[in-house]
Amino acid sequence: MWSTARLADGDGRSADVDINGLVLRCDIPEDAAPEPAGATPFGLLAASLSTCTVMSVRTFLHRWRIAPGEVLVRVAVRGGPSPMLERTVTVGAAVDPDLREQLAAEVDATPVTRLLREAVPIRTVLRTGAEQHT
């Protein structure tokens, strides 16, 4: 795994990012400006957390022989003086309470979660089965 970012000389605020051969443009927002529509450094951080979580949830449920249905993980970056990541994990399948507790522990132990939680708080909401519509 590797990533390279290249920012051209000058006052530009867009970097070209190469992630294992996938190239994309990443906009570096100015402090007073609204968040750009495209990828940003914090957006890429949120993408790492959501992708790691979604794969870990599906793997966990398969291990327990539960068809997960659709798994959706949304991570929002809340700014301010103390940034925070808000993660919502939605699993289509119903999960019994004992296994749900284990699933919550699995979500809190994903590799990217462990890496980030020392630097930034992560608030997680887990919804399964019928709960996802509440």
Side-chain angles (χ1 to χ4, degrees):
M1 291 177 276
W2 54 271
S3 175
T4 303
R6 181 173 289 112
L7 184 60
D9 188 24
D11 294 334
R13 303 216 37 102
S14 292
D16 292 321
V17 181
D18 185 333
I19 306 165
N20 291 341
L22 173 67
V23 179
L24 58 105
R25 170 87 71 210
C26 182
D27 294 324
I28 300 101
E30 294 186 47
D31 290 338
E35 189 77 11
T40 65
F42 275 118
L44 294 173
L45 185 69
S48 295
L49 181 60
S50 62
T51 304
C52 181
T53 303
V54 80
M55 293 301 296
S56 296
V57 166
R58 188 182 69 178
T59 299
F60 174 86
L61 292 171
H62 281 170
R63 194 176 324 127
W64 285 94
R65 302 196 192 312
I66 295 174
E70 182 179 66
V71 179
L72 176 70
V73 177
R74 182 178 191 283
V75 175
V77 179
R78 300 294 176 221
S82 299
M84 180 176 81
L85 299 173
E86 292 182 351
R87 171 175 54 186
T88 303
V89 179
T90 306
V91 177
V95 178
D96 72 59
D98 290 338
L99 193 58
R100 190 179 189 286
E101 195 172 309
Q102 291 179 44
L103 176 58
E106 182 76 13
V107 166
D108 285 337
T110 66
V112 175
T113 301
R114 289 192 320 262
L115 247 153
L116 294 177
R117 73 173 158 224
E118 297 301 319
V120 62
I122 301 170
R123 179 180 173 269
T124 301
V125 174
L126 174 60
R127 296 183 176 138
T128 61
E131 298 173 333
Q132 62 184 308
H133 300 292
T134 59

